[in-house]
Amino acid sequence: MAGVGAGVSGQPIPFRQFIVKTHGRCNLACTYCYLYEGPDSGWRDRPAAASADVLERTAGRIAEHARAHALGDLALVLHGGEPLLAGAGTLARFTDRVRERAPAGCAVHAVVQTNGTLLTEDRLRVLTDAGVRVGISLDGGTAAHNRRRVDHAGRPSWPAAVRGARLVADRFPASYAGVLTVVDPELDPVETYESLLALRPPALDLLLPHGNWSARPPGQTGARYGDWLCAVFDRWWAAGRRETRVRLFEECVALLLGLPAAGEALGLAPFDAVVVETDGSIEQVDSLKSAYPGAAETGLDIFRHAFDEALRHPGVAARQAGADALAGQCRACPLLRVCGGGHYAHRYRAGHGFRNPSVYCADLQRFIRHVAGRLAGAAAAVPAVVPAAVSPSSPLSSPSPSSPLSPLSPREGSAP
Amino acid sequence: LLIVLREVLRELRDRMMWGFDNSF
């Protein structure tokens, strides 16, 4: 699934992840939000909530796509804005309709991604009964960490958010999907991680804030973000047990070992997610909106078009083209198979499109090499496991190494 | 290479595969 060139055969990979904007507004006004504070203000022109008609037609289009491609499973992501503004009952009924209309044998994995402030016991029961898992977005596990997550009056969201997170952990642990955290390099990495552990998430993901060559990430100097991730990785790696799953770390380990992985942050797996906006527009994922206005648009909608038509959109095709869609520096880089050029949105440069290395190139190198070093160290501790040192004839010892487990190449690290 | 690791490997053997990074 993560091989170089997967999806390059000319045959598009069907969508398996359907992100449905059940509500297009948010009860918070986080100061760094790429959607509401970023360059694309298209949300202002769309209905606040998806209508019953949009949701019903979306369920039909998802079922049509699942049937056409004989999907054995798919992910239904209830998103926003703040999706719970649509009401837990609406989310549950919509999920039920997608499951009812999906072909027999197609499992629908449903999750809602929320800021946590609207979670109550009643709402969680409705979601749990409908088989909808709950992911929460937080910047850390303390009020100070979440200082940028405020409501429209500037009041902190933390008291309500932590109440919601604790409610899920205490009363509905089987429905708890995890916590998403945007990295803030101003915060202490280990303290941030340990504070998140206190919320008992079954999984975490650490997201680099959206930025690109024309709108640099906040506070980016050297490999500051990479160093931050390395510090958390070491705390996670040395814990003596796996305290929680950390998606970024585990995908990196998988890729370094040549195993399948899927994710936007790393690797070359063809991307298989599509978005339905509140007005029924079919779009690419929101992160592209951090690049320029209209970057996610396809010109398609669920009233007139099947999802198959979106598979033919050039932007979708580029994200399924593996290494072929990358800059020359990336294709020549020994970390290519693991890094994969980083997150697509982070490659953008005004006037040059997305065929550039990631604006986080130095950070990704620092992080990937750090993880590889820890893996190599663990293997070295068990002599029976360590294969013979690389022989002179091995491709790993050639002057132009192609494996991420090869010595540093002077070609890597170049950036436009 | 192409022995926390033990638990991660167990899951990789069984195999989180959803790629959209703004959810789980």
Side-chain angles (χ1 to χ4, degrees), chain A residues 76-395:
Chain A
L76 176 65
V77 182
L78 307 169
H79 223 280
E82 171 47 55
L84 279 168
L85 288 173
T90 297
L91 304 183
R93 285 189 294 275
F94 173 56
T95 301
D96 287 344
R97 284 299 287 156
V98 173
R99 289 201 172 107
E100 287 165 5
R101 299 191 64 171
C106 178
V108 176
H109 306 268
V111 64
V112 59
Q113 188 64 35
T114 171
N115 60 40
T117 61
L118 301 178
L119 291 172
T120 64
E121 183 142 3
D122 287 348
R123 289 168 181 155
L124 281 165
R125 193 169 304 287
V126 168
L127 294 169
T128 296
D129 288 348
V132 178
R133 296 163 69 236
V134 179
I136 302 176
S137 300
L138 293 169
D139 287 351
T142 71
H145 295 154
N146 289 275
R147 68 197 184 286
R148 300 182 300 169
R149 299 181 68 82
V150 295
D151 70 11
H152 291 273
R155 295 170 300 203
S157 66
W158 174 248
V162 72
R163 188 165 52 243
R166 287 175 179 154
L167 190 59
V168 181
D170 290 342
R171 305 278 291 121
F172 301 90
S175 297
Y176 197 0
V179 172
L180 290 181
T181 294
V182 175
V183 172
D184 179 351
E186 301 292 337
L187 300 179
D188 180 276
V190 173
E191 181 199 10
T192 301
Y193 172 70
E194 290 179 340
S195 70
L196 287 164
L197 282 181
L199 299 174
R200 289 169 286 152
L204 280 178
D205 203 6
L206 301 170
L207 309 177
L208 293 170
H210 291 315
N212 56 63
W213 292 106
S214 298
R216 299 296 288 262
Q220 188 185 40
T221 56
R224 188 183 189 194
Y225 283 91
D227 289 338
W228 199 98
L229 292 172
C230 291
V232 179
F233 181 87
D234 281 350
R235 167 63 181 77
W236 175 77
W237 184 249
R241 66 183 177 87
R242 188 201 203 187
E243 294 169 303
T244 188
R245 307 153 98 183
V246 182
R247 180 162 58 188
L248 177 67
F249 298 168
E250 300 189 15
E251 297 302 314
C252 188
V253 168
L255 288 162
L256 282 163
L257 297 175
L259 298 167
E264 291 190 83
L266 297 173
L268 290 165
F271 193 53
D272 59 4
V274 67
V275 174
V276 178
E277 284 283 356
T278 57
D279 62 356
S281 298
I282 297 172
E283 295 212 335
Q284 300 176 76
V285 293
D286 275 354
S287 54
L288 297 186
K289 296 177 180 178
S290 66
Y292 61 89
E297 292 176 3
T298 66
L300 308 173
D301 65 71
I302 47 104
F303 297 100
R304 298 175 300 158
H305 306 99
F307 284 121
D308 269 3
E309 295 186 61
L311 286 176
R312 293 191 281 273
H313 186 275
V316 173
R319 298 201 65 179
Q320 296 198 345
D324 285 359
L326 298 180
Q329 296 114 299
C330 292
R331 293 199 303 274
C333 177
L335 300 186
L336 166 67
R337 192 177 42 76
V338 179
C339 171
H343 196 296
Y344 191 78
H346 301 166
R347 305 173 201 165
Y348 179 72
R349 179 190 288 272
H352 297 269
F354 292 91
R355 198 181 283 264
N356 308 292
S358 170
V359 73
Y360 286 108
C361 181
D363 299 284
L364 293 170
Q365 285 191 60
R366 178 72 55 86
F367 170 66
I368 291 166
R369 287 195 160 277
H370 184 82
V371 176
R374 292 290 180 260
L375 274 173
V382 186
V385 173
V386 182
V390 177
S391 71
S393 61
S394 163

Side-chain angles (χ1 to χ4, degrees), chain A residues 42-64:
Chain A
W43 60 273
R44 295 178 186 276
D45 302 324
R46 293 204 166 93
S51 68
D53 188 29
V54 164
L55 294 178
E56 184 62 27
R57 286 173 183 264
T58 299
R61 289 296 189 191
I62 292 172
E64 173 186 61

